[in-house]
Amino acid sequence: MPELPEVRTVASILKKELLNQKITAIKVIFPKVISKDSLDINLLINKKLKDIKTYGKYLLFDYDNYILISHLRMEGKYFIKNKNDSIEKHEHIIFIFNDNTSLRYHDTRKFGRIELIKKGELSKNKSLSKLALEPFDIDINDLYQKIIKKKTPIKTILLDQTIISGLGNIYANEVLYNSEINPFKLGKDMTFNEVKKIVNSAIKILNLAILNKGTTIRSYMGALNVTGNYQKYLKVHMKSGKKCSKCHNDIIKVKINGRSTYYCENCQK
DNA sequence: AACGAAACCTGCGCGC
DNA sequence: TGCGCGCAGGTTTCGT
Protein backbone atom coordinates (compact mmCIF):
# COMPACT_ATOMS: atom_id res chain seq x y z
CA MET A 1 0.00 0.00 0.00
CA PRO A 2 2.63 2.48 -0.78
CA GLU A 3 2.46 5.84 -2.41
CA LEU A 4 3.25 9.08 -0.62
CA PRO A 5 -0.12 9.54 1.16
CA GLU A 6 -0.18 5.95 2.43
CA VAL A 7 3.43 6.13 3.60
CA ARG A 8 2.75 9.36 5.48
CA THR A 9 -0.30 7.78 7.06
CA VAL A 10 1.75 4.82 8.25
CA ALA A 11 4.39 7.15 9.64
CA SER A 12 1.96 9.29 11.59
CA ILE A 13 0.20 6.30 13.14
CA LEU A 14 3.40 4.49 14.04
CA LYS A 15 4.81 7.68 15.50
CA LYS A 16 1.81 8.06 17.75
CA GLU A 17 2.18 4.49 19.00
CA LEU A 18 5.91 3.94 19.14
CA LEU A 19 7.68 7.17 20.00
CA ASN A 20 10.23 6.70 22.80
CA GLN A 21 9.70 2.95 22.90
CA LYS A 22 12.89 1.03 23.55
CA ILE A 23 13.69 -2.04 21.46
CA THR A 24 14.64 -5.00 23.64
CA ALA A 25 14.91 -7.72 20.99
CA ILE A 26 14.56 -8.26 17.25
CA LYS A 27 13.42 -11.44 15.55
CA VAL A 28 14.37 -11.82 11.92
CA ILE A 29 12.24 -14.52 10.35
CA PHE A 30 12.94 -13.84 6.68
CA PRO A 31 16.37 -12.17 6.43
CA LYS A 32 16.04 -11.28 2.75
CA VAL A 33 13.87 -8.26 3.52
CA ILE A 34 16.97 -6.68 5.06
CA SER A 35 19.09 -5.04 2.40
CA LYS A 36 22.52 -6.59 1.89
CA ASP A 37 24.04 -3.13 2.39
CA SER A 38 22.45 -2.87 5.84
CA LEU A 39 24.31 -2.65 9.13
CA ASP A 40 23.50 -5.39 11.66
CA ILE A 41 19.88 -4.82 12.61
CA ASN A 42 20.67 -5.82 16.21
CA LEU A 43 22.50 -2.54 16.68
CA LEU A 44 19.02 -1.17 17.39
CA ILE A 45 18.66 -3.17 20.59
CA ASN A 46 18.34 -0.84 23.59
CA LYS A 47 17.76 2.12 21.31
CA LYS A 48 14.77 4.43 21.64
CA LEU A 49 12.73 5.62 18.68
CA LYS A 50 13.19 9.36 18.45
CA ASP A 51 11.15 10.23 15.36
CA ILE A 52 9.64 8.85 12.17
CA LYS A 53 10.01 10.81 8.98
CA THR A 54 9.16 10.09 5.36
CA TYR A 55 10.76 10.99 2.08
CA GLY A 56 8.86 10.11 -1.06
CA LYS A 57 7.74 6.54 -0.44
CA TYR A 58 10.42 5.85 2.18
CA LEU A 59 9.90 5.61 5.94
CA LEU A 60 12.81 6.80 8.06
CA PHE A 61 12.89 5.59 11.68
CA ASP A 62 15.21 7.86 13.65
CA TYR A 63 17.18 6.18 16.45
CA ASP A 64 19.70 8.90 17.42
CA ASN A 65 22.87 7.49 15.86
CA TYR A 66 21.10 5.26 13.37
CA ILE A 67 18.33 5.48 10.84
CA LEU A 68 16.23 2.52 9.79
CA ILE A 69 15.13 3.00 6.19
CA SER A 70 12.02 1.09 5.18
CA HIS A 71 10.39 0.83 1.78
CA LEU A 72 7.08 -1.04 1.61
CA ARG A 73 7.20 -1.60 -2.17
CA MET A 74 3.93 -3.30 -3.17
CA GLU A 75 2.52 -4.88 -0.03
CA GLY A 76 4.68 -4.12 2.99
CA LYS A 77 2.72 -3.32 6.15
CA TYR A 78 3.41 -2.74 9.82
CA PHE A 79 1.30 -4.10 12.64
CA ILE A 80 1.55 -3.51 16.36
CA LYS A 81 0.73 -6.57 18.44
CA ASN A 82 1.36 -7.99 21.86
CA LYS A 83 4.86 -9.43 21.87
CA ASN A 84 3.58 -12.90 22.80
CA ASP A 85 1.03 -13.11 19.99
CA SER A 86 1.79 -15.93 17.61
CA ILE A 87 3.84 -15.17 14.53
CA GLU A 88 1.59 -15.10 11.51
CA LYS A 89 2.29 -15.96 7.93
CA HIS A 90 4.13 -13.19 6.07
CA GLU A 91 5.50 -11.56 9.20
CA HIS A 92 9.20 -11.24 8.42
CA ILE A 93 10.71 -9.06 11.14
CA ILE A 94 9.50 -8.47 14.69
CA PHE A 95 10.77 -5.62 16.85
CA ILE A 96 10.02 -6.23 20.53
CA PHE A 97 9.68 -3.32 22.96
CA ASN A 98 10.08 -2.93 26.68
CA ASP A 99 6.34 -2.50 27.26
CA ASN A 100 5.11 -5.90 26.08
CA THR A 101 4.27 -4.77 22.53
CA SER A 102 5.91 -5.57 19.23
CA LEU A 103 6.11 -4.04 15.78
CA ARG A 104 5.77 -6.55 12.97
CA TYR A 105 6.81 -6.09 9.36
CA HIS A 106 4.37 -8.01 7.18
CA ASP A 107 4.88 -8.39 3.45
CA THR A 108 2.98 -10.94 1.37
CA ARG A 109 5.11 -10.58 -1.73
CA LYS A 110 8.43 -9.98 0.05
CA PHE A 111 9.27 -7.03 -2.20
CA GLY A 112 9.81 -4.52 0.61
CA ARG A 113 13.26 -3.74 1.98
CA ILE A 114 14.69 -2.50 5.27
CA GLU A 115 18.15 -1.03 5.71
CA LEU A 116 19.94 0.22 8.81
CA ILE A 117 22.47 2.99 8.28
CA LYS A 118 24.44 5.44 10.39
CA LYS A 119 22.70 8.76 10.61
CA GLY A 120 25.46 10.65 8.83
CA GLU A 121 25.26 8.34 5.84
CA LEU A 122 21.70 9.29 4.92
CA SER A 123 22.63 11.61 2.08
CA LYS A 124 24.96 9.10 0.46
CA ASN A 125 22.57 6.19 0.69
CA LYS A 126 22.28 4.40 -2.63
CA SER A 127 18.49 4.64 -2.97
CA LEU A 128 17.80 7.90 -1.17
CA SER A 129 20.52 9.96 -2.83
CA LYS A 130 18.92 9.47 -6.24
CA LEU A 131 15.45 10.53 -5.12
CA ALA A 132 13.98 13.69 -6.59
CA LEU A 133 12.04 16.17 -4.46
CA GLU A 134 8.40 15.61 -3.60
CA PRO A 135 5.77 17.60 -5.56
CA PHE A 136 5.39 19.94 -2.55
CA ASP A 137 9.01 21.07 -2.77
CA ILE A 138 9.90 20.63 -6.42
CA ASP A 139 10.91 23.56 -8.61
CA ILE A 140 8.64 23.57 -11.65
CA ASN A 141 11.30 24.82 -14.02
CA ASP A 142 13.83 22.20 -12.86
CA LEU A 143 11.20 19.52 -13.37
CA TYR A 144 10.30 20.89 -16.79
CA GLN A 145 13.96 20.80 -17.86
CA LYS A 146 14.23 17.15 -16.84
CA ILE A 147 10.96 16.14 -18.48
CA ILE A 148 11.69 17.63 -21.92
CA LYS A 149 14.90 15.60 -22.09
CA LYS A 150 12.90 12.37 -22.08
CA LYS A 151 11.27 10.66 -25.00
CA THR A 152 9.16 8.33 -22.87
CA PRO A 153 5.46 8.87 -22.10
CA ILE A 154 4.65 11.34 -19.32
CA LYS A 155 2.87 8.55 -17.42
CA THR A 156 6.15 6.64 -17.21
CA ILE A 157 8.05 9.79 -16.26
CA LEU A 158 5.73 10.50 -13.31
CA LEU A 159 6.55 7.07 -11.89
CA ASP A 160 10.29 7.76 -12.06
CA GLN A 161 11.29 8.62 -8.49
CA THR A 162 14.51 10.28 -9.68
CA ILE A 163 12.40 12.88 -11.54
CA ILE A 164 9.61 13.47 -9.02
CA SER A 165 9.10 11.43 -5.86
CA GLY A 166 6.01 10.12 -4.15
CA LEU A 167 3.69 9.34 -7.06
CA GLY A 168 2.81 5.75 -7.87
CA ASN A 169 0.39 4.20 -10.32
CA ILE A 170 -2.83 5.39 -8.67
CA TYR A 171 -1.86 9.01 -8.15
CA ALA A 172 -0.01 9.29 -11.47
CA ASN A 173 -3.24 8.28 -13.21
CA GLU A 174 -5.27 10.72 -11.13
CA VAL A 175 -2.82 13.60 -11.60
CA LEU A 176 -2.83 13.23 -15.39
CA TYR A 177 -6.62 13.18 -15.42
CA ASN A 178 -6.79 16.27 -13.24
CA SER A 179 -4.22 18.00 -15.47
CA GLU A 180 -6.08 16.94 -18.64
CA ILE A 181 -2.92 15.52 -20.18
CA ASN A 182 -2.75 12.38 -22.32
CA PRO A 183 -0.65 9.76 -20.54
CA PHE A 184 1.07 8.82 -23.83
CA LYS A 185 2.33 12.35 -24.45
CA LEU A 186 6.12 12.22 -24.64
CA GLY A 187 8.28 14.15 -22.23
CA LYS A 188 9.94 16.06 -25.05
CA ASP A 189 6.55 17.36 -26.19
CA MET A 190 5.44 18.68 -22.81
CA THR A 191 4.98 22.42 -22.32
CA PHE A 192 5.98 24.40 -19.25
CA ASN A 193 2.34 25.13 -18.53
CA GLU A 194 1.48 21.43 -18.60
CA VAL A 195 4.29 20.64 -16.17
CA LYS A 196 2.96 23.38 -13.92
CA LYS A 197 -0.51 21.83 -14.08
CA ILE A 198 0.95 18.45 -13.14
CA VAL A 199 2.71 19.84 -10.06
CA ASN A 200 -0.35 21.77 -8.92
CA SER A 201 -2.62 18.76 -9.44
CA ALA A 202 -0.18 16.50 -7.61
CA ILE A 203 -0.05 18.82 -4.61
CA LYS A 204 -3.83 19.11 -4.49
CA ILE A 205 -4.47 15.39 -4.90
CA LEU A 206 -1.77 14.23 -2.49
CA ASN A 207 -2.91 16.67 0.18
CA LEU A 208 -6.50 15.48 -0.06
CA ALA A 209 -5.34 11.86 -0.04
CA ILE A 210 -3.22 12.48 3.07
CA LEU A 211 -6.24 14.03 4.79
CA ASN A 212 -8.15 10.86 3.90
CA LYS A 213 -5.40 8.55 5.16
CA GLY A 214 -4.63 7.30 1.66
CA THR A 215 -6.43 4.96 -0.70
CA THR A 216 -7.65 1.50 0.24
CA ILE A 217 -8.48 -0.73 -2.72
CA ARG A 218 -8.45 -4.39 -3.68
CA SER A 219 -9.89 -5.26 -0.28
CA TYR A 220 -6.74 -5.21 1.73
CA MET A 221 -6.07 -2.91 4.58
CA GLY A 222 -3.32 -0.53 5.34
CA ALA A 223 -0.93 -0.75 8.21
CA LEU A 224 -2.41 -1.29 11.64
CA ASN A 225 -5.78 -2.04 10.09
CA VAL A 226 -6.30 1.60 9.21
CA THR A 227 -8.30 2.02 6.03
CA GLY A 228 -7.97 5.11 3.91
CA ASN A 229 -10.86 6.84 2.20
CA TYR A 230 -9.35 8.43 -0.88
CA GLN A 231 -10.83 5.68 -3.07
CA LYS A 232 -14.05 7.70 -2.84
CA TYR A 233 -12.35 10.50 -4.76
CA LEU A 234 -10.73 8.43 -7.52
CA LYS A 235 -11.78 9.67 -10.96
CA VAL A 236 -10.02 7.23 -13.30
CA HIS A 237 -7.97 4.62 -11.46
CA MET A 238 -9.81 1.27 -11.64
CA LYS A 239 -12.71 3.02 -13.38
CA SER A 240 -12.54 1.48 -16.85
CA GLY A 241 -16.03 1.38 -18.39
CA LYS A 242 -17.30 4.05 -15.98
CA LYS A 243 -18.25 7.51 -17.21
CA CYS A 244 -15.79 10.36 -17.11
CA SER A 245 -16.94 12.87 -14.48
CA LYS A 246 -16.38 15.79 -16.89
CA CYS A 247 -17.78 14.43 -20.19
CA HIS A 248 -19.88 11.58 -21.55
CA ASN A 249 -16.98 9.32 -22.54
CA ASP A 250 -16.01 6.03 -20.98
CA ILE A 251 -12.80 5.81 -18.97
CA ILE A 252 -10.47 3.39 -20.72
CA LYS A 253 -7.65 1.19 -19.51
CA VAL A 254 -4.40 0.68 -21.41
CA LYS A 255 -0.88 -0.48 -20.58
CA ILE A 256 1.97 1.97 -20.57
CA ASN A 257 5.36 0.51 -19.81
CA GLY A 258 3.66 -2.50 -18.27
CA ARG A 259 1.50 -0.50 -15.84
CA SER A 260 -2.29 -0.17 -16.03
CA THR A 261 -3.17 3.33 -17.11
CA TYR A 262 -6.69 4.72 -16.90
CA TYR A 263 -7.77 7.89 -18.65
CA CYS A 264 -10.43 9.74 -20.61
CA GLU A 265 -9.53 10.03 -24.30
CA ASN A 266 -11.85 13.00 -24.67
CA CYS A 267 -10.56 15.11 -21.76
CA GLN A 268 -6.93 14.03 -22.00
CA LYS A 269 -5.93 14.81 -25.58
C1' DA B 1 23.10 6.68 -21.78
C1' DA B 2 18.54 5.41 -22.14
C1' DC B 3 14.93 2.45 -22.61
C1' DG B 4 11.91 -1.77 -22.32
C1' DA B 5 11.56 -6.19 -20.34
C1' DA B 6 12.37 -9.38 -16.92
C1' DA B 7 13.01 -10.44 -12.22
C1' DC B 8 11.70 -10.35 -7.55
C1' DC B 9 7.07 -12.91 -4.84
C1' DT B 10 2.26 -14.41 -3.37
C1' DG B 11 -2.66 -14.60 -3.66
C1' DC B 12 -6.93 -13.64 -5.86
C1' DG B 13 -10.48 -13.71 -9.41
C1' DC B 14 -11.81 -15.21 -13.77
C1' DG B 15 -12.80 -18.32 -17.74
C1' DC B 16 -12.90 -22.90 -19.26
C1' DT C 1 -13.71 -28.45 -8.25
C1' DG C 2 -9.37 -27.57 -10.47
C1' DC C 3 -6.16 -25.45 -13.46
C1' DG C 4 -3.95 -21.81 -15.90
C1' DC C 5 -3.67 -17.20 -16.73
C1' DG C 6 -3.63 -12.32 -15.79
C1' DC C 7 -3.31 -9.00 -12.49
C1' DA C 8 -1.82 -6.18 -8.25
C1' DG C 9 -0.54 0.91 -4.87
C1' DG C 10 7.25 -0.78 -6.81
C1' DT C 11 12.01 -0.92 -7.70
C1' DT C 12 16.29 -3.05 -9.40
C1' DT C 13 18.76 -5.51 -12.73
C1' DC C 14 19.47 -7.21 -17.20
C1' DG C 15 19.83 -6.84 -22.24
C1' DT C 16 19.87 -4.13 -26.48
Side-chain angles (χ1 to χ4, degrees):
Chain A
M1 42 150 294
E3 295 180 49
L4 185 149
E6 293 76 27
V7 172
R8 291 222 184 164
T9 301
V10 171
S12 82
I13 293 165
L14 290 182
K15 196 171 161 178
K16 221 178 293 173
E17 302 288 329
L18 299 179
L19 216 57
N20 293 317
Q21 292 275 18
K22 188 201 271 188
I23 295 177
T24 57
I26 302 171
K27 279 186 202 162
V28 178
I29 297 146
F30 184 74
K32 221 177 156 185
V33 299
I34 299 172
S35 157
K36 58 182 183 305
D37 300 326
S38 178
L39 298 174
D40 181 359
I41 204 90
N42 289 306
L43 289 166
L44 288 177
I45 290 171
N46 291 323
K47 297 275 188 285
K48 269 189 188 177
L49 181 64
K50 204 182 161 190
D51 197 7
I52 302 177
K53 297 190 172 108
T54 67
Y55 185 17
K57 302 176 192 174
Y58 287 83
L59 285 161
L60 306 173
F61 296 79
D62 183 342
Y63 285 94
D64 279 326
N65 310 319
Y66 296 102
I67 292 182
L68 186 69
I69 302 169
S70 170
H71 196 302
L72 306 171
R73 296 277 178 94
M74 291 293 264
E75 306 215 23
K77 297 172 184 69
Y78 283 101
F79 294 102
I80 294 172
K81 295 185 174 182
N82 192 294
K83 75 174 177 194
N84 293 320
D85 288 353
S86 60
I87 298 171
E88 286 187 36
K89 197 174 184 185
H90 303 129
E91 288 180 352
H92 304 313
I93 301 189
I94 302 183
F95 300 89
I96 295 164
F97 303 107
N98 52 338
D99 73 340
N100 214 34
T101 61
S102 64
L103 175 68
R104 303 182 178 212
Y105 179 68
H106 178 291
D107 191 344
T108 312
R109 294 173 73 181
K110 300 174 174 166
F111 284 171
R113 290 292 178 268
I114 279 172
E115 180 179 353
L116 184 67
I117 61 165
K118 286 196 172 170
K119 203 171 211 171
E121 316 262 298
L122 191 59
S123 58
K124 12 178 181 167
N125 180 261
K126 202 168 157 236
S127 337
L128 291 176
S129 61
K130 291 184 202 155
L131 272 191
L133 294 171
E134 296 179 348
F136 310 108
D137 305 315
I138 210 159
D139 180 271
I140 294 171
N141 195 49
D142 289 349
L143 178 61
Y144 172 66
Q145 296 303 331
K146 280 190 191 175
I147 286 176
I148 57 171
K149 286 189 177 65
K150 312 228 30 145
K151 58 183 185 118
T152 48
I154 187 63
K155 167 68 192 310
T156 301
I157 296 173
L158 293 185
L159 296 177
D160 184 341
Q161 304 299 300
T162 70
I163 303 234
I164 185 166
S165 70
L167 298 176
N169 205 36
I170 295 178
Y171 298 108
N173 284 330
E174 295 297 317
V175 164
L176 288 173
Y177 176 77
N178 192 259
S179 308
E180 300 184 329
I181 294 166
N182 188 293
F184 287 98
K185 186 157 188 170
L186 303 182
K188 67 181 182 59
D189 298 326
M190 295 287 292
T191 66
F192 181 83
N193 196 46
E194 287 173 324
V195 173
K196 190 171 164 185
K197 272 203 265 183
I198 284 176
V199 173
N200 289 334
S201 295
I203 291 172
K204 186 173 73 179
I205 287 168
L206 293 178
N207 274 329
L208 186 57
I210 291 165
L211 275 179
N212 282 276
K213 303 185 192 301
T215 301
T216 304
I217 52 174
R218 291 216 322 277
S219 82
Y220 48 58
M221 309 216 167
L224 306 147
N225 303 310
V226 171
T227 50
N229 274 317
Y230 193 77
Q231 61 276 16
K232 290 192 296 195
Y233 299 88
L234 295 175
K235 304 286 193 200
V236 289
H237 188 82
M238 300 275 289
K239 302 288 184 191
S240 39
K242 301 255 165 65
K243 298 290 176 203
C244 167
S245 59
K246 300 179 203 167
C247 75
H248 61 283
N249 276 47
D250 283 355
I251 300 301
I252 61 164
K253 176 183 178 180
V254 296
K255 288 272 184 195
I256 298 181
N257 205 30
R259 309 299 304 276
S260 288
T261 301
Y262 302 84
Y263 73 110
C264 172
E265 284 176 298
N266 188 44
C267 295
Q268 297 169 261
K269 300 278 190 199

